[in-house]
């Protein structure tokens, strides 16, 4: 007995006759196959629809026409500008709030979680109806006040800032979840106290210490916001603007193959961004582990 206690390897050694084989769960493979078919079959059908032209055979004219299509460049540029502005605003709003919540008021976390989850409860059609009502109410009753000019500036077609404000609200649930997961994986209090003890002020501790440790969470939040802005249709359509998703819908009425080709291409680009994000997050974790 004493020899066994002195030699842990002998204690942990499995007994003879024990089955070491891993239990096979075939239902996992069935679920993966069904999920793959669910996503890949519609995508394959869309690709076939864009390249198989009756009486012409296989042709890639629909993809060649994307760049030269009327409105493609302007709508895509507008969506990217809106996405960049939305990411900047929502991160500037949520990162300091989440860090302060984590450090100073952890009991308020359920309240903030409920508030950030409200956009998932309110239907987009009701949300945009409220925005449109407010925008129409201002110029009608307060046309001689600065509020009128503010509402006009918010609805500038070159850069509709009202869409940025709407997208910030719609992105709150996803950004909150991403940042909350990142903060749970990091000892923020210890990092901030160490930075403060080294002479850093609060902005320096946040920018130079906390943010580098939240790189993965920031990337996740940015990617989810980008995907939301590029694919959002209801708010932009009802407010009368034409970003990328609305342009795809408008093109589909006259050029169905071009519309589906753009949708397929945007989906592939989104997947590529997601894989790049996963690879970047994996490299950052490997680098931090090697430094540790």
């Amino acid at each position: 007995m004493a020899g066994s206690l002195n030699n842990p390897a002998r204690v942990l050694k499995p007994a003879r006759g024990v089955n070491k084989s891993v239990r096979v769960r075939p239902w996992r493979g069935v679920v993966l196959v069904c999920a793959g078919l669910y996503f890949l079959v519609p995508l394959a059908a869309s690709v076939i629809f864009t390249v198989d032209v009756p009486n012409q055979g296989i042709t890639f004219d629909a993809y060649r026409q994307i760049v030269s299509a009327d409105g493609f460049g302007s709508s895509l540029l507008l969506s990217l500008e809106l996405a960049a502005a939305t990411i900047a605003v929502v991160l500037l709003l949520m990162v300091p709030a989440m860090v302060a919540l984590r450090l100073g008021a952890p009991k308020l976390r359920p309240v903030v979680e409920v508030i950030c989850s409200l956009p998932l409860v309110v239907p987009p059609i009701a949300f945009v109806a409220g925005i449109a009502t407010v925008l129409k109410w201002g110029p009608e009753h307060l046309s001689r006040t600065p509020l009128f000019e503010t509402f006009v500036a918010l609805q500038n077609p070159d850069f509709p800032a009202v869409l940025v404000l709407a997208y910030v609200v719609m992105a709150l649930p996803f950004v909150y979840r991403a940042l909350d997961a990142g903060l749970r994986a990091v000892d923020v209090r210890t990092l901030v106290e160490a930075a403060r003890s080294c002479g850093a002020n609060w902005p320096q501790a946040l920018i130079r210490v906390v943010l580098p440790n939240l790189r993965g969470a920031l990337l996740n939040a940015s990617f989810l916001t980008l995907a939301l802005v590029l694919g959002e249709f209801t708010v932009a359509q009802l407010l009368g603007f034409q970003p990328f998703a609305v342009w795809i819908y408008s093109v589909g009425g006259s050029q169905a193959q071009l519309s589906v080709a753009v949708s397929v291409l945007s989906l592939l680009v989104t997947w590529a961004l997601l894989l790049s994000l996963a690879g970047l997050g994996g490299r950052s974790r490997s680098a931090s582990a090697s430094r540790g």
Side-chain angles (χ1 to χ4, degrees):
M1 177 64 68
S4 300
L5 293 176
N6 293 331
N7 190 357
R10 295 179 59 184
V11 177
L12 299 176
K13 185 176 180 180
R16 294 181 180 178
V18 176
N19 188 9
K20 301 180 182 179
S21 61
V22 180
R23 183 182 299 176
V24 179
R25 296 181 175 87
W27 60 268
R28 292 184 177 180
V30 174
V31 171
L32 290 176
V33 170
C34 293
L37 293 176
Y38 179 80
F39 287 104
L40 294 179
V41 169
L43 180 61
S46 300
V47 173
I48 293 173
F49 175 76
T50 57
V51 300
D52 188 11
V53 180
N55 301 326
Q56 295 184 18
I58 303 298
T59 178
F60 295 92
D61 291 339
Y63 293 94
R64 298 190 188 99
Q65 296 172 2
I66 292 178
V67 179
S68 60
D70 186 22
F72 169 76
S74 59
S75 61
L76 180 59
L77 180 60
L78 177 60
S79 291
L80 293 178
E81 292 175 350
L82 293 173
T86 304
I87 291 171
V89 173
V90 75
L91 290 182
L92 287 175
L93 177 67
M94 290 298 296
V95 172
M98 294 290 294
V99 174
L101 182 69
R102 187 80 174 179
L103 294 177
K107 293 183 179 181
L108 293 178
R109 180 180 173 275
V111 179
V112 177
E113 183 177 1
V114 171
I115 294 174
C116 292
S117 300
L118 286 178
L120 297 177
V121 180
V122 179
I125 188 67
F127 180 56
V128 70
I131 295 176
T133 302
V134 172
L135 293 177
K136 292 178 181 178
W137 170 78
E140 181 179 354
H141 298 281
L142 303 171
S143 58
R144 296 183 179 180
T145 64
L147 185 62
F148 175 79
E149 298 296 333
T150 302
F151 284 160
V152 171
L154 288 176
Q155 301 177 74
N156 184 4
D158 295 332
F159 184 78
V162 64
L163 289 183
V164 175
L165 300 178
Y167 293 157
V168 167
V169 175
M170 297 174 67
L172 284 179
F174 311 105
V175 175
Y176 174 82
R177 293 296 180 183
L179 294 179
D180 183 64
L183 289 171
R184 285 175 175 269
V186 177
D187 191 354
V188 181
R189 187 177 300 275
T190 301
L191 292 175
V192 172
E193 290 178 355
R196 295 283 290 168
S197 64
C198 293
N201 54 29
W202 283 104
Q204 290 176 339
L206 178 63
I207 295 173
R208 303 182 62 179
V209 178
V210 177
L211 291 185
N213 289 277
L214 295 178
R215 183 180 304 172
L218 294 175
L219 289 174
N220 290 333
S222 301
F223 176 77
L224 292 174
T225 305
L226 175 64
L228 171 69
V229 174
L230 291 180
E232 201 285 320
F233 171 79
T234 305
V235 176
Q237 171 71 10
L238 294 180
L239 290 180
F241 302 107
Q242 194 180 44
F244 191 56
V246 179
W247 177 83
I248 293 177
Y249 172 78
S250 63
V251 171
S254 57
Q255 304 179 55
Q257 284 188 322
L258 178 61
S259 175
V260 175
V262 173
S263 301
V264 171
L265 186 61
S266 62
L267 180 61
L268 294 178
V269 171
T270 303
W271 282 2
L273 290 175
L274 179 60
L275 294 176
S276 301
L277 177 63
L280 183 61
R283 287 196 298 269
S284 62
R285 286 193 296 267
S286 300
S288 59
S290 62
R291 287 196 300 269

PDB file of all heavy atoms in Angstrom, residues 18 20 33 54 78 95 112 118 126 137 153 158-159 165 170 174 182 204 215 217 224 236 239 241 259 263 285:
ATOM      1  N   VAL A  18     -10.256  -3.622 -18.644  1.00  0.00           N
ATOM      2  CA  VAL A  18     -11.123  -2.458 -18.794  1.00  0.00           C
ATOM      3  C   VAL A  18     -11.138  -2.034 -20.255  1.00  0.00           C
ATOM      4  O   VAL A  18     -10.091  -1.913 -20.882  1.00  0.00           O
ATOM      5  CB  VAL A  18     -10.636  -1.306 -17.901  1.00  0.00           C
ATOM      6  CG1 VAL A  18     -11.499  -0.061 -18.137  1.00  0.00           C
ATOM      7  CG2 VAL A  18     -10.702  -1.721 -16.437  1.00  0.00           C
ATOM      8  N   LYS A  20     -10.988   0.300 -23.109  1.00  0.00           N
ATOM      9  CA  LYS A  20     -10.470   1.640 -23.297  1.00  0.00           C
ATOM     10  C   LYS A  20     -11.055   2.323 -24.532  1.00  0.00           C
ATOM     11  O   LYS A  20     -10.731   3.458 -24.813  1.00  0.00           O
ATOM     12  CB  LYS A  20      -8.934   1.607 -23.436  1.00  0.00           C
ATOM     13  CG  LYS A  20      -8.228   1.006 -22.233  1.00  0.00           C
ATOM     14  CD  LYS A  20      -6.736   1.008 -22.465  1.00  0.00           C
ATOM     15  CE  LYS A  20      -5.998   0.362 -21.302  1.00  0.00           C
ATOM     16  NZ  LYS A  20      -4.527   0.338 -21.537  1.00  0.00           N
ATOM     17  N   VAL A  33     -24.474  15.792 -40.473  1.00  0.00           N
ATOM     18  CA  VAL A  33     -24.853  15.629 -41.886  1.00  0.00           C
ATOM     19  C   VAL A  33     -26.125  16.404 -42.205  1.00  0.00           C
ATOM     20  O   VAL A  33     -26.220  17.092 -43.233  1.00  0.00           O
ATOM     21  CB  VAL A  33     -25.014  14.130 -42.208  1.00  0.00           C
ATOM     22  CG1 VAL A  33     -25.628  13.955 -43.587  1.00  0.00           C
ATOM     23  CG2 VAL A  33     -23.663  13.424 -42.143  1.00  0.00           C
ATOM     24  N   PRO A  54     -30.622  28.629 -69.314  1.00  0.00           N
ATOM     25  CA  PRO A  54     -31.265  27.812 -70.358  1.00  0.00           C
ATOM     26  C   PRO A  54     -30.792  28.217 -71.758  1.00  0.00           C
ATOM     27  O   PRO A  54     -30.615  29.401 -72.054  1.00  0.00           O
ATOM     28  CB  PRO A  54     -32.756  28.113 -70.158  1.00  0.00           C
ATOM     29  CG  PRO A  54     -32.870  28.542 -68.731  1.00  0.00           C
ATOM     30  CD  PRO A  54     -31.600  29.262 -68.429  1.00  0.00           C
ATOM     31  N   LEU A  78     -21.801  52.383 -48.899  1.00  0.00           N
ATOM     32  CA  LEU A  78     -22.647  52.935 -47.851  1.00  0.00           C
ATOM     33  C   LEU A  78     -22.815  51.952 -46.700  1.00  0.00           C
ATOM     34  O   LEU A  78     -22.742  52.342 -45.523  1.00  0.00           O
ATOM     35  CB  LEU A  78     -24.012  53.309 -48.438  1.00  0.00           C
ATOM     36  CG  LEU A  78     -25.051  53.842 -47.447  1.00  0.00           C
ATOM     37  CD1 LEU A  78     -24.556  55.100 -46.763  1.00  0.00           C
ATOM     38  CD2 LEU A  78     -26.381  54.088 -48.149  1.00  0.00           C
ATOM     39  N   VAL A  95     -17.979  49.026 -24.196  1.00  0.00           N
ATOM     40  CA  VAL A  95     -16.757  48.552 -23.520  1.00  0.00           C
ATOM     41  C   VAL A  95     -16.543  49.262 -22.193  1.00  0.00           C
ATOM     42  O   VAL A  95     -16.365  48.599 -21.152  1.00  0.00           O
ATOM     43  CB  VAL A  95     -15.541  48.703 -24.456  1.00  0.00           C
ATOM     44  CG1 VAL A  95     -14.254  48.406 -23.688  1.00  0.00           C
ATOM     45  CG2 VAL A  95     -15.662  47.752 -25.639  1.00  0.00           C
ATOM     46  N   VAL A 112     -28.700  45.388 -16.684  1.00  0.00           N
ATOM     47  CA  VAL A 112     -28.094  45.749 -17.964  1.00  0.00           C
ATOM     48  C   VAL A 112     -28.336  44.662 -19.001  1.00  0.00           C
ATOM     49  O   VAL A 112     -28.587  44.951 -20.181  1.00  0.00           O
ATOM     50  CB  VAL A 112     -26.584  46.008 -17.775  1.00  0.00           C
ATOM     51  CG1 VAL A 112     -25.911  46.311 -19.102  1.00  0.00           C
ATOM     52  CG2 VAL A 112     -26.356  47.154 -16.802  1.00  0.00           C
ATOM     53  N   LEU A 118     -33.557  43.832 -24.899  1.00  0.00           N
ATOM     54  CA  LEU A 118     -34.855  44.336 -25.356  1.00  0.00           C
ATOM     55  C   LEU A 118     -34.978  44.392 -26.878  1.00  0.00           C
ATOM     56  O   LEU A 118     -36.067  44.138 -27.409  1.00  0.00           O
ATOM     57  CB  LEU A 118     -35.117  45.723 -24.755  1.00  0.00           C
ATOM     58  CG  LEU A 118     -35.487  45.749 -23.274  1.00  0.00           C
ATOM     59  CD1 LEU A 118     -35.675  47.188 -22.813  1.00  0.00           C
ATOM     60  CD2 LEU A 118     -36.748  44.938 -23.015  1.00  0.00           C
ATOM     61  N   ALA A 126     -42.006  47.334 -35.657  1.00  0.00           N
ATOM     62  CA  ALA A 126     -42.465  48.280 -34.644  1.00  0.00           C
ATOM     63  C   ALA A 126     -41.378  49.286 -34.304  1.00  0.00           C
ATOM     64  O   ALA A 126     -41.649  50.471 -34.078  1.00  0.00           O
ATOM     65  CB  ALA A 126     -42.902  47.522 -33.384  1.00  0.00           C
ATOM     66  N   TRP A 137     -42.564  63.772 -36.723  1.00  0.00           N
ATOM     67  CA  TRP A 137     -43.126  64.682 -35.726  1.00  0.00           C
ATOM     68  C   TRP A 137     -42.281  65.934 -35.565  1.00  0.00           C
ATOM     69  O   TRP A 137     -42.804  67.036 -35.434  1.00  0.00           O
ATOM     70  CB  TRP A 137     -43.241  63.959 -34.398  1.00  0.00           C
ATOM     71  CG  TRP A 137     -43.572  64.861 -33.236  1.00  0.00           C
ATOM     72  CD1 TRP A 137     -44.795  65.362 -32.926  1.00  0.00           C
ATOM     73  CD2 TRP A 137     -42.670  65.350 -32.254  1.00  0.00           C
ATOM     74  NE1 TRP A 137     -44.721  66.136 -31.799  1.00  0.00           N
ATOM     75  CE2 TRP A 137     -43.423  66.149 -31.367  1.00  0.00           C
ATOM     76  CE3 TRP A 137     -41.302  65.201 -32.030  1.00  0.00           C
ATOM     77  CZ2 TRP A 137     -42.841  66.789 -30.269  1.00  0.00           C
ATOM     78  CZ3 TRP A 137     -40.722  65.837 -30.953  1.00  0.00           C
ATOM     79  CH2 TRP A 137     -41.494  66.629 -30.081  1.00  0.00           C
ATOM     80  N   ALA A 153     -30.353  66.403 -40.773  1.00  0.00           N
ATOM     81  CA  ALA A 153     -28.987  65.865 -40.868  1.00  0.00           C
ATOM     82  C   ALA A 153     -28.964  64.364 -40.616  1.00  0.00           C
ATOM     83  O   ALA A 153     -28.176  63.634 -41.241  1.00  0.00           O
ATOM     84  CB  ALA A 153     -28.082  66.584 -39.874  1.00  0.00           C
ATOM     85  N   ASP A 158     -26.656  60.670 -48.227  1.00  0.00           N
ATOM     86  CA  ASP A 158     -25.259  60.285 -48.433  1.00  0.00           C
ATOM     87  C   ASP A 158     -24.712  59.474 -47.262  1.00  0.00           C
ATOM     88  O   ASP A 158     -23.897  58.564 -47.462  1.00  0.00           O
ATOM     89  CB  ASP A 158     -24.404  61.536 -48.641  1.00  0.00           C
ATOM     90  CG  ASP A 158     -24.783  62.271 -49.916  1.00  0.00           C
ATOM     91  OD1 ASP A 158     -25.266  61.599 -50.855  1.00  0.00           O
ATOM     92  OD2 ASP A 158     -24.610  63.499 -49.958  1.00  0.00           O
ATOM     93  N   PHE A 159     -25.161  59.812 -46.060  1.00  0.00           N
ATOM     94  CA  PHE A 159     -24.764  59.037 -44.877  1.00  0.00           C
ATOM     95  C   PHE A 159     -25.882  59.167 -43.841  1.00  0.00           C
ATOM     96  O   PHE A 159     -25.876  60.083 -43.014  1.00  0.00           O
ATOM     97  CB  PHE A 159     -23.442  59.525 -44.291  1.00  0.00           C
ATOM     98  CG  PHE A 159     -22.957  58.680 -43.131  1.00  0.00           C
ATOM     99  CD1 PHE A 159     -22.348  57.461 -43.369  1.00  0.00           C
ATOM    100  CD2 PHE A 159     -23.134  59.098 -41.827  1.00  0.00           C
ATOM    101  CE1 PHE A 159     -21.908  56.679 -42.309  1.00  0.00           C
ATOM    102  CE2 PHE A 159     -22.695  58.319 -40.764  1.00  0.00           C
ATOM    103  CZ  PHE A 159     -22.086  57.109 -41.005  1.00  0.00           C
ATOM    104  N   LEU A 165     -27.750  54.932 -35.597  1.00  0.00           N
ATOM    105  CA  LEU A 165     -28.389  54.881 -34.273  1.00  0.00           C
ATOM    106  C   LEU A 165     -29.287  53.658 -34.144  1.00  0.00           C
ATOM    107  O   LEU A 165     -29.302  52.994 -33.097  1.00  0.00           O
ATOM    108  CB  LEU A 165     -29.191  56.160 -34.046  1.00  0.00           C
ATOM    109  CG  LEU A 165     -28.390  57.468 -34.081  1.00  0.00           C
ATOM    110  CD1 LEU A 165     -29.316  58.659 -33.880  1.00  0.00           C
ATOM    111  CD2 LEU A 165     -27.289  57.461 -33.044  1.00  0.00           C
ATOM    112  N   MET A 170     -29.935  47.756 -32.324  1.00  0.00           N
ATOM    113  CA  MET A 170     -30.161  46.374 -32.735  1.00  0.00           C
ATOM    114  C   MET A 170     -28.961  45.476 -32.447  1.00  0.00           C
ATOM    115  O   MET A 170     -29.119  44.258 -32.278  1.00  0.00           O
ATOM    116  CB  MET A 170     -30.490  46.339 -34.228  1.00  0.00           C
ATOM    117  CG  MET A 170     -31.777  47.071 -34.581  1.00  0.00           C
ATOM    118  SD  MET A 170     -32.065  47.185 -36.368  1.00  0.00           S
ATOM    119  CE  MET A 170     -32.325  45.447 -36.759  1.00  0.00           C
ATOM    120  N   PHE A 174     -26.046  41.324 -29.202  1.00  0.00           N
ATOM    121  CA  PHE A 174     -24.908  40.532 -29.662  1.00  0.00           C
ATOM    122  C   PHE A 174     -23.591  41.065 -29.083  1.00  0.00           C
ATOM    123  O   PHE A 174     -22.724  40.287 -28.674  1.00  0.00           O
ATOM    124  CB  PHE A 174     -24.860  40.551 -31.189  1.00  0.00           C
ATOM    125  CG  PHE A 174     -26.177  40.227 -31.825  1.00  0.00           C
ATOM    126  CD1 PHE A 174     -26.957  41.219 -32.403  1.00  0.00           C
ATOM    127  CD2 PHE A 174     -26.669  38.932 -31.823  1.00  0.00           C
ATOM    128  CE1 PHE A 174     -28.172  40.933 -32.977  1.00  0.00           C
ATOM    129  CE2 PHE A 174     -27.894  38.623 -32.392  1.00  0.00           C
ATOM    130  CZ  PHE A 174     -28.659  39.624 -32.968  1.00  0.00           C
ATOM    131  N   GLY A 182     -16.083  37.619 -22.985  1.00  0.00           N
ATOM    132  CA  GLY A 182     -14.675  37.972 -22.892  1.00  0.00           C
ATOM    133  C   GLY A 182     -14.277  38.442 -21.513  1.00  0.00           C
ATOM    134  O   GLY A 182     -13.192  38.095 -21.004  1.00  0.00           O
ATOM    135  N   GLN A 204      -5.634  54.845 -19.461  1.00  0.00           N
ATOM    136  CA  GLN A 204      -4.473  54.035 -19.837  1.00  0.00           C
ATOM    137  C   GLN A 204      -4.659  52.578 -19.429  1.00  0.00           C
ATOM    138  O   GLN A 204      -4.291  51.670 -20.182  1.00  0.00           O
ATOM    139  CB  GLN A 204      -3.216  54.613 -19.193  1.00  0.00           C
ATOM    140  CG  GLN A 204      -2.765  55.944 -19.769  1.00  0.00           C
ATOM    141  CD  GLN A 204      -1.574  56.514 -19.031  1.00  0.00           C
ATOM    142  OE1 GLN A 204      -1.299  56.144 -17.878  1.00  0.00           O
ATOM    143  NE2 GLN A 204      -0.863  57.442 -19.666  1.00  0.00           N
ATOM    144  N   ARG A 215      -9.227  41.113 -27.006  1.00  0.00           N
ATOM    145  CA  ARG A 215      -9.140  41.164 -28.461  1.00  0.00           C
ATOM    146  C   ARG A 215     -10.131  40.223 -29.129  1.00  0.00           C
ATOM    147  O   ARG A 215     -10.819  40.595 -30.078  1.00  0.00           O
ATOM    148  CB  ARG A 215      -7.710  40.821 -28.909  1.00  0.00           C
ATOM    149  CG  ARG A 215      -7.498  40.925 -30.413  1.00  0.00           C
ATOM    150  CD  ARG A 215      -6.066  40.557 -30.755  1.00  0.00           C
ATOM    151  NE  ARG A 215      -5.122  41.370 -30.023  1.00  0.00           N
ATOM    152  CZ  ARG A 215      -3.803  41.152 -30.016  1.00  0.00           C
ATOM    153  NH1 ARG A 215      -3.299  40.129 -30.688  1.00  0.00           N
ATOM    154  NH2 ARG A 215      -3.003  41.945 -29.327  1.00  0.00           N
ATOM    155  N   ALA A 217     -12.973  39.014 -27.896  1.00  0.00           N
ATOM    156  CA  ALA A 217     -14.339  39.489 -27.687  1.00  0.00           C
ATOM    157  C   ALA A 217     -14.646  40.694 -28.569  1.00  0.00           C
ATOM    158  O   ALA A 217     -15.746  40.804 -29.122  1.00  0.00           O
ATOM    159  CB  ALA A 217     -14.551  39.846 -26.219  1.00  0.00           C
ATOM    160  N   LEU A 224     -20.063  40.384 -35.578  1.00  0.00           N
ATOM    161  CA  LEU A 224     -21.517  40.248 -35.477  1.00  0.00           C
ATOM    162  C   LEU A 224     -22.213  41.542 -35.893  1.00  0.00           C
ATOM    163  O   LEU A 224     -23.257  41.512 -36.564  1.00  0.00           O
ATOM    164  CB  LEU A 224     -21.900  39.880 -34.048  1.00  0.00           C
ATOM    165  CG  LEU A 224     -21.480  38.480 -33.580  1.00  0.00           C
ATOM    166  CD1 LEU A 224     -21.788  38.286 -32.102  1.00  0.00           C
ATOM    167  CD2 LEU A 224     -22.193  37.405 -34.390  1.00  0.00           C
ATOM    168  N   ALA A 236     -33.860  49.903 -43.098  1.00  0.00           N
ATOM    169  CA  ALA A 236     -33.398  50.745 -44.210  1.00  0.00           C
ATOM    170  C   ALA A 236     -34.464  50.889 -45.284  1.00  0.00           C
ATOM    171  O   ALA A 236     -34.662  51.977 -45.841  1.00  0.00           O
ATOM    172  CB  ALA A 236     -32.123  50.143 -44.803  1.00  0.00           C
ATOM    173  N   LEU A 239     -37.365  53.217 -44.062  1.00  0.00           N
ATOM    174  CA  LEU A 239     -36.950  54.606 -43.914  1.00  0.00           C
ATOM    175  C   LEU A 239     -36.560  55.240 -45.246  1.00  0.00           C
ATOM    176  O   LEU A 239     -36.277  56.441 -45.295  1.00  0.00           O
ATOM    177  CB  LEU A 239     -35.789  54.714 -42.929  1.00  0.00           C
ATOM    178  CG  LEU A 239     -36.135  54.436 -41.461  1.00  0.00           C
ATOM    179  CD1 LEU A 239     -34.896  54.567 -40.586  1.00  0.00           C
ATOM    180  CD2 LEU A 239     -37.233  55.361 -40.959  1.00  0.00           C
ATOM    181  N   PHE A 241     -33.943  54.357 -47.470  1.00  0.00           N
ATOM    182  CA  PHE A 241     -32.537  54.386 -47.855  1.00  0.00           C
ATOM    183  C   PHE A 241     -32.187  53.099 -48.605  1.00  0.00           C
ATOM    184  O   PHE A 241     -32.930  52.113 -48.555  1.00  0.00           O
ATOM    185  CB  PHE A 241     -31.645  54.545 -46.624  1.00  0.00           C
ATOM    186  CG  PHE A 241     -31.953  55.782 -45.821  1.00  0.00           C
ATOM    187  CD1 PHE A 241     -32.596  55.687 -44.603  1.00  0.00           C
ATOM    188  CD2 PHE A 241     -31.622  57.038 -46.308  1.00  0.00           C
ATOM    189  CE1 PHE A 241     -32.899  56.814 -43.868  1.00  0.00           C
ATOM    190  CE2 PHE A 241     -31.918  58.179 -45.581  1.00  0.00           C
ATOM    191  CZ  PHE A 241     -32.561  58.064 -44.360  1.00  0.00           C
ATOM    192  N   SER A 259     -29.066  39.160 -58.700  1.00  0.00           N
ATOM    193  CA  SER A 259     -29.376  39.298 -57.283  1.00  0.00           C
ATOM    194  C   SER A 259     -28.929  38.080 -56.488  1.00  0.00           C
ATOM    195  O   SER A 259     -28.317  38.200 -55.421  1.00  0.00           O
ATOM    196  CB  SER A 259     -30.882  39.517 -57.105  1.00  0.00           C
ATOM    197  OG  SER A 259     -31.221  39.546 -55.740  1.00  0.00           O
ATOM    198  N   SER A 263     -25.954  37.686 -53.609  1.00  0.00           N
ATOM    199  CA  SER A 263     -26.237  37.079 -52.309  1.00  0.00           C
ATOM    200  C   SER A 263     -25.262  35.943 -52.005  1.00  0.00           C
ATOM    201  O   SER A 263     -24.747  35.834 -50.885  1.00  0.00           O
ATOM    202  CB  SER A 263     -27.674  36.566 -52.273  1.00  0.00           C
ATOM    203  OG  SER A 263     -28.598  37.604 -52.502  1.00  0.00           O
ATOM    204  N   ARG A 285      -4.653  33.456 -29.044  1.00  0.00           N
ATOM    205  CA  ARG A 285      -4.618  32.628 -27.847  1.00  0.00           C
ATOM    206  C   ARG A 285      -3.324  31.823 -27.768  1.00  0.00           C
ATOM    207  O   ARG A 285      -2.742  31.659 -26.696  1.00  0.00           O
ATOM    208  CB  ARG A 285      -5.817  31.671 -27.851  1.00  0.00           C
ATOM    209  CG  ARG A 285      -7.131  32.347 -27.543  1.00  0.00           C
ATOM    210  CD  ARG A 285      -8.231  31.331 -27.256  1.00  0.00           C
ATOM    211  NE  ARG A 285      -8.514  30.521 -28.435  1.00  0.00           N
ATOM    212  CZ  ARG A 285      -9.439  30.817 -29.307  1.00  0.00           C
ATOM    213  NH1 ARG A 285     -10.170  31.922 -29.174  1.00  0.00           N
ATOM    214  NH2 ARG A 285      -9.676  30.023 -30.344  1.00  0.00           N
TER     215      ARG A 285
END
